[in-house]
Amino acid sequence: MKLIPTTVGLCLTASVLAACGGGGSGGGKDDAEIVDGGTFTMALNADPGNLDPHSSVSSALFSISQLSYDHLFNTNFDDGTIESGLASKWDVKGTTVTATLAEGVTCSDGSELKASDVVANFDYIADPKNESPLLGAFLPAGATSKADDAARTVTITLAAPAPFVLQGLSNIAIVCADGLKDRTALAKASAGTGPYELTKAEPGNQYTYSIREGYTWGPDGATTATKGMPDTIVMKIVENESTAANLLLSDGLNGAIVSGTDRKRLDAAKLTTYDTATLTGEQWYNQTKGRPTVDPKVRLALTQALDLPELQKVLTGGSGKPATTFAALDPVACPGDSVSGALPKQDVDAAKAVLSAADLPDLTFVYNPASGSGVSAAAELAVEQWKAAGVTVKAKSQNVTAIQETVFGTGNWDIAWLPVNVNSPDQLVPFLSGPSTPDGTNFANITNDDYEAGVQKASAMNGQEGCETWLEAESALVEAADVIPFANSIGKAYRAKATFDYPGQMVPTSIRMLAN
């Protein structure tokens, strides 16, 4: 099982984990002459590992999957509406979703995509033995699917109402028949209908993709015949932000996410950006039996010991804002504030009393510093504040791969800073309830009856009609100090000699190469 880190560190870009949004800004040369062909190079701050798009919800895999795989639907990142993808028509009636595939969709091997191929994707994810983390997050648990190849229709029957089902399905990459026959080959190859095909995989270094001619079924009808599309895309692994900034300024990259102090010199160079709002500060407690943080009084005290506004300021370099919802990526399905009113206030004396009586061992605190120097500085400050409250917390800086192994594998952690980014609250349910690892994605082993009751009630409502209930359910998690979201920021995708959209993941059909 894997987690989607934050889009600017990672995007459970659910996200994502999933869909997110933003817009272009800054100075620069977006009005420069558009040129065809060439090579576009984008930085990834972590290697995606297994390239099977159904194996993980890490942002690195989501970002790279966009190149060679399509989705049944796409989400418009400006207003959240559903747009065409592999499906040209769709309809939702109660618990039944029907989609009609566009004509002429072909796979990278030249074969035609069939409705039965799409259903085979959903069947694979729906089978618990395959342990796909997409089950429950993007494909509702208990959903069944059937195909009519002659009519090119896919029918999905839900076990219960799912208010944001189309948004969830728009995050599932569709694998072609050739890849479905041998999923082991997908680890280092692609088998999709997307605008680009993987031609060379160099794990730990870079992944090279070549354009597909005749592609016409992209988001809202996007096509590779559009002027300015690159012939080749290289996704280069660059874990260090300063290195990525250097490469942007020396023509070694066309795009990179930069969140730390290197922004100043990139802004001075007047590079344009695509800006995306993200949840960047989110504190989790390990509630597995035997861990000190299984005690709600301990979790509350550890939270009360912290000056969260100061941590938010340090983490974001003074440019962020307090977190207000768990699902924070634009377009936010349920805007509002589920956090502020439920957040425990700082009370160091109360924290000292509880933590002293608890006689805690040293606690393990893990975090990922990939999104800038502010993360490490904030982590050091948190450790100092916990020390002032009488508890010793040992911080461990880990890259994306290591921290996922810790929370989903070894379980050797008590506190984790691991933002999970999605745009609709239903996509978070498997991370906040249900089976824990290794049987599910509830990596913190959270059990909150009020949250689960709220989810059940909200899930029976239609779309945004249930938003108030979704937000109340999230508040229950904050009040119990199960999860503490505390910082939002604006992630910037910097662009050099190219323009593109980056709403959580790069949109390949939006790339336009520029003359200078």
Side-chain angles (χ1 to χ4, degrees):
M1 291 295 184
K2 293 292 188 294
L3 174 70
I4 187 169
T6 174
T7 53
V8 291
L10 155 62
C11 189
L12 251 260
T13 197
S15 215
V16 40
L17 204 117
C20 35
S25 69
K29 302 176 180 179
D30 272 7
D31 58 349
E33 179 187 357
I34 293 176
V35 295
D36 268 327
T39 297
F40 174 90
T41 305
M42 182 79 191
L44 277 179
N45 67 1
D47 192 289
N50 184 350
L51 301 184
D52 183 338
H54 301 159
S55 67
S56 167
V57 285
S58 75
S59 61
L61 181 58
F62 262 69
S63 293
I64 213 165
S65 295
Q66 311 301 311
L67 302 177
S68 50
Y69 296 97
D70 287 310
H71 311 91
L72 202 54
F73 318 108
N74 291 290
T75 300
N76 182 298
F77 300 113
D78 292 326
D79 58 17
T81 57
I82 298 300
E83 296 180 335
S84 65
L86 295 173
S88 58
K89 296 188 297 183
W90 55 92
D91 182 53
V92 181
K93 291 183 179 179
T95 56
T96 302
V97 179
T98 304
T100 302
L101 298 187
E103 295 187 32
V105 176
T106 60
C107 299
S108 55
D109 65 357
S111 63
E112 179 185 0
L113 180 74
K114 298 179 180 179
S116 53
D117 299 329
V118 176
V119 167
N121 278 260
F122 296 151
D123 287 347
Y124 176 86
I125 296 168
D127 190 341
K129 74 178 183 182
N130 294 321
E131 297 185 346
S132 174
L134 279 62
L135 179 60
F138 301 135
L139 180 68
T144 58
S145 307
K146 65 178 182 179
D148 184 333
D149 284 334
R152 304 192 317 282
T153 57
V154 174
T155 303
I156 304 168
T157 303
L158 308 177
F164 302 104
V165 62
L166 297 184
Q167 287 85 345
L169 294 173
S170 72
N171 288 286
I172 297 177
I174 300 301
V175 178
C176 289
D178 189 48
L180 295 171
K181 293 176 183 177
D182 182 11
R183 297 198 75 102
T184 59
L186 294 177
K188 295 182 179 180
S190 65
T193 62
Y196 288 83
E197 179 183 6
L198 178 63
T199 51
K200 188 175 183 181
E202 301 173 73
N205 181 23
Q206 63 185 35
Y207 297 83
T208 303
Y209 292 78
S210 297
I211 198 168
R212 292 185 61 208
E213 302 297 334
Y215 177 90
T216 60
W217 50 87
D220 202 26
T223 167
T224 53
T226 303
K227 183 178 180 179
M229 292 283 289
D231 291 333
T232 304
I233 294 179
V234 175
M235 302 296 281
K236 188 173 182 63
I237 312 304
V238 185
E239 294 188 358
N240 184 278
E241 278 200 351
S242 293
T243 301
N246 292 339
L247 290 170
L248 280 168
L249 295 172
S250 62
D251 296 336
L253 288 174
N254 298 106
I257 301 294
V258 179
S259 306
T261 56
D262 290 289
R263 282 183 176 184
K264 293 181 179 179
R265 56 194 179 111
L266 295 176
D267 290 339
K270 299 188 181 301
L271 298 185
T272 64
T273 64
Y274 188 95
D275 301 346
T276 303
T278 61
L279 175 61
T280 52
E282 188 168 32
Q283 183 162 291
W284 300 73
Y285 294 106
N286 189 348
Q287 299 181 43
T288 302
K289 184 178 181 181
R291 307 302 301 196
T293 42
V294 73
D295 186 342
K297 294 181 180 179
V298 169
R299 298 197 304 274
L300 177 61
L302 289 169
T303 305
Q304 290 176 315
L306 297 175
D307 184 342
L308 293 173
E310 182 64 18
L311 290 178
Q312 171 239 305
K313 181 179 179 180
V314 174
L315 180 69
T316 65
S319 63
K321 297 180 180 179
T324 57
T325 59
F326 281 57
L329 295 180
D330 292 329
V332 176
C334 287
D337 190 347
S338 61
V339 179
S340 301
L343 199 64
K345 305 300 182 184
Q346 186 181 23
D347 189 335
V348 178
D349 290 337
K352 282 183 178 179
V354 171
L355 296 174
S356 175
D359 191 25
L360 299 176
D362 292 354
L363 302 182
T364 299
F365 164 39
V366 296
Y367 68 95
N368 172 23
S371 56
S373 58
V375 180
S376 296
E380 292 176 4
L381 178 58
V383 168
E384 292 175 3
Q385 292 178 356
W386 280 317
K387 182 178 180 180
V391 62
T392 299
V393 177
K394 296 184 176 179
K396 292 185 177 181
S397 170
Q398 298 184 329
N399 64 21
V400 171
T401 302
I403 200 169
Q404 289 183 354
E405 175 58 28
T406 296
V407 299
F408 284 103
T410 67
N412 185 26
W413 65 283
D414 299 298
I415 306 166
W417 282 2
L418 200 58
V420 178
N421 272 286
V422 300
N423 72 335
S424 64
D426 61 318
Q427 295 169 355
L428 285 167
V429 173
F431 296 87
L432 299 168
S433 62
S436 60
T437 57
D439 300 317
T441 52
N442 182 7
F443 62 92
N445 207 5
I446 296 170
T447 302
N448 186 309
D449 292 340
D450 290 337
Y451 173 74
E452 292 177 20
V455 167
Q456 184 175 8
K457 182 178 178 181
S459 297
M461 300 180 186
N462 186 27
Q464 293 190 329
E465 292 178 3
C467 280
E468 183 177 348
T469 304
W470 280 112
L471 295 177
E472 289 174 355
E474 292 178 358
S475 295
L477 295 168
V478 179
E479 290 173 351
D482 289 324
V483 187
I484 305 295
F486 65 91
N488 282 357
S489 68
I490 298 297
K492 291 181 177 289
Y494 283 86
R495 306 179 290 197
K497 293 188 176 181
T499 182
F500 57 87
D501 295 340
Y502 199 101
Q505 299 92 29
M506 185 177 63
V507 180
T509 52
S510 72
I511 301 172
R512 302 293 180 266
M513 303 299 292
L514 304 179
N516 53 54

